[in-house]
Amino acid sequence: MAGSKTAQPARSGGGHQQHDAGGSHGSLKSYVIGFALSIILTIIPLVIVLGGMVNRTGTLVIILLAAILQFVVQLLFFMHVKEGPNARWNIMALILGMIILLTIVAGSIWIMTYNAVAH
């Protein structure tokens, strides 16, 4: 069939497709703030451990608190859990996952501590 043309799909932007399909991305400012907080929350426990500034229990508490804050910073600034159309469902799924994780960890510790067979 000489002379017949097939319809070609229209391309916009030089063949690049639209990446942002309703999802939100952070700004450079939010990434820099998140990165700075991550560095600070890493350096604080490091200095406390290397300097021997606090006793063992205090050091463990500070490391645990810094880890929890680091987790929150990662979720908010880099994973954008609170942004987008499904933010509520993302947070609910995260809470459910944390409940399941804490149940497994607490149950394992309970069993290892109070196992009558091992004594």
Side-chain angles (χ1 to χ4, degrees):
M1 297 185 141
S4 68
K5 295 183 180 180
T6 58
Q8 296 291 328
R11 292 185 183 178
S12 62
H16 296 281
Q17 295 179 359
Q18 178 93 6
H19 176 69
D20 190 16
S24 57
H25 297 281
S27 65
L28 179 62
K29 180 181 177 183
S30 71
Y31 285 130
V32 170
I33 291 171
F35 181 71
L37 288 173
S38 295
I39 295 296
I40 291 168
L41 290 171
T42 301
I43 291 175
I44 290 173
L46 179 68
V47 168
I48 289 173
V49 168
L50 292 179
M53 300 175 182
V54 185
N55 63 4
R56 181 182 168 109
T57 304
T59 301
L60 291 175
V61 168
I62 290 171
I63 291 173
L64 180 64
L65 289 175
I68 291 169
L69 289 173
Q70 183 81 261
F71 178 69
V72 170
V73 166
Q74 296 291 323
L75 286 174
L76 296 179
F77 287 95
F78 299 114
M79 298 178 85
H80 311 292
V81 173
K82 289 179 57 177
E83 298 174 7
N86 295 329
R88 182 176 178 194
W89 292 107
N90 290 341
I91 293 173
M92 289 173 63
L94 178 66
I95 291 171
L96 177 63
M98 294 300 294
I99 290 170
I100 292 170
L101 176 72
L102 290 174
T103 302
I104 291 171
V105 170
S108 298
I109 292 172
W110 179 277
I111 289 170
M112 289 186 289
T113 303
Y114 297 108
N115 188 359
V117 177
H119 296 286

